[in-house]
Amino acid sequence: MSVDSKSPGDSPFRTEPTARDEAPQFVLPLVVRIEKSAPPNRTDALETAARAVLTMLGDERALGDGEWAQAVRDWEDARIRKVVRRARGAEWRRAEGLPGITLTGKSAEVRVFPPVPLDGWPKELAKLQVSGTELEDPEPPVGADRSEAVLWMNPELEMSAGKAMAQAGHGAQLAWWELSEEEREAWREAGFPLAVRTADPAEWPRLTGSGLPLVRDAGFTEIAPGSCTVVADHPALR
């Protein structure tokens, strides 16, 4: 993945080659629980994945001298990659046995793990499938509450649920980076309220030109390099 943000220079979210490509590459694993009898709703899975990324970024174990802090720093020094895999039954129980954080939404459960080397996944996660994760919303989601953060998805792109979950996570991370420490703490204390919604096609050009953080995908999977996928709209950034 890649993204444009307000960060200058050697951003981890730029599509062209940078010094970050020379660093060891890490990935943030996320696993979504998809039981055959009760799959989660798509929008709830996207929102839960975004909150999972934020929870990892704000966890004391990922900061300072915390046990996950070095892995997070190594990940942020390279490209910011996220991969979503799916699990059910015994697969999910094995995933829960690894160090990480589980976030629960209205219908979705997503577990996020500390970053791992791109070619060094734990065997319990490496076995899980990554492609073809498809989820549906039984009803269209209600309008977003603009008093909270909204991650606006590109209305012109079609993505699998797993790909869209990763993109929502990217957007949440960009918003996090742009906030002050006080604004981050307030968001964390509130439980990271946010919504993920597909933008109105007529509004998309305005959103992408608004100066808000913008995810621009590197094109490793599913969509063309440089595609704008998400605009991260947080009240403090408007």
Side-chain angles (χ1 to χ4, degrees):
M1 154 222 82
S2 172
V3 226
D4 271 347
S5 72
K6 299 174 185 175
S7 305
D10 187 20
S11 166
F13 296 122
R14 298 177 70 85
T15 53
E16 64 270 20
T18 75
R20 291 179 180 274
D21 294 298
E22 304 301 320
Q25 299 296 301
F26 285 73
V27 61
L28 186 78
L30 297 106
V31 174
V32 56
R33 183 178 186 180
I34 303 182
E35 301 290 348
K36 285 185 177 180
S37 60
N41 297 343
R42 180 184 173 100
T43 296
D44 189 45
L46 268 60
E47 293 173 349
T48 305
R51 289 194 297 112
V53 171
L54 292 166
T55 301
M56 171 61 70
L57 292 172
D59 192 280
E60 61 182 11
R61 290 166 289 184
L63 303 172
D65 296 324
E67 60 187 287
W68 299 340
Q70 186 59 55
V72 171
R73 285 193 291 269
D74 290 341
W75 172 58
E76 291 183 330
D77 283 344
R79 291 287 184 176
I80 305 299
R81 299 187 182 193
K82 301 178 182 71
V83 172
V84 178
R85 299 190 174 190
R86 64 183 185 271
R88 66 171 182 262
E91 297 172 331
W92 175 257
R93 291 191 291 274
R94 285 192 291 269
E96 282 197 306
L98 298 177
I101 306 168
T102 297
L103 268 290
T104 301
K106 296 175 182 177
S107 63
E109 287 183 79
V110 176
R111 188 163 179 84
V112 60
F113 304 86
V116 298
L118 191 59
D119 57 356
W121 285 67
K123 64 181 186 299
E124 295 89 347
L125 303 184
K127 296 176 181 178
L128 301 178
Q129 293 188 6
V130 63
S131 61
T133 301
E134 296 300 339
L135 300 170
E136 302 292 338
D137 282 319
E139 298 179 0
V142 299
D145 181 354
R146 294 294 303 277
S147 69
E148 298 177 350
V150 185
L151 304 174
W152 296 106
M153 308 294 289
N154 187 335
E156 300 173 356
L157 293 178
E158 292 188 9
M159 293 180 278
S160 69
K163 177 73 172 182
M165 289 169 68
Q167 298 299 308
H170 297 335
Q173 186 167 4
L174 281 184
W176 173 265
W177 281 349
E178 294 289 344
L179 296 175
S180 68
E181 288 297 332
E182 292 78 10
E183 290 162 344
R184 290 179 181 180
E185 182 61 27
W187 201 12
R188 180 169 46 221
E189 287 295 318
F192 296 119
L194 57 82
V196 178
R197 296 291 186 271
T198 299
D200 186 308
E203 281 290 295
W204 185 245
R206 183 191 66 78
L207 287 167
T208 58
S210 65
L212 291 167
L214 171 65
V215 179
R216 196 178 292 276
D217 193 71
F220 294 123
T221 61
E222 295 193 25
I223 58 179
S227 299
C228 300
T229 57
V230 182
V231 173
D233 182 7
H234 189 285
L237 302 180
R238 293 173 193 150

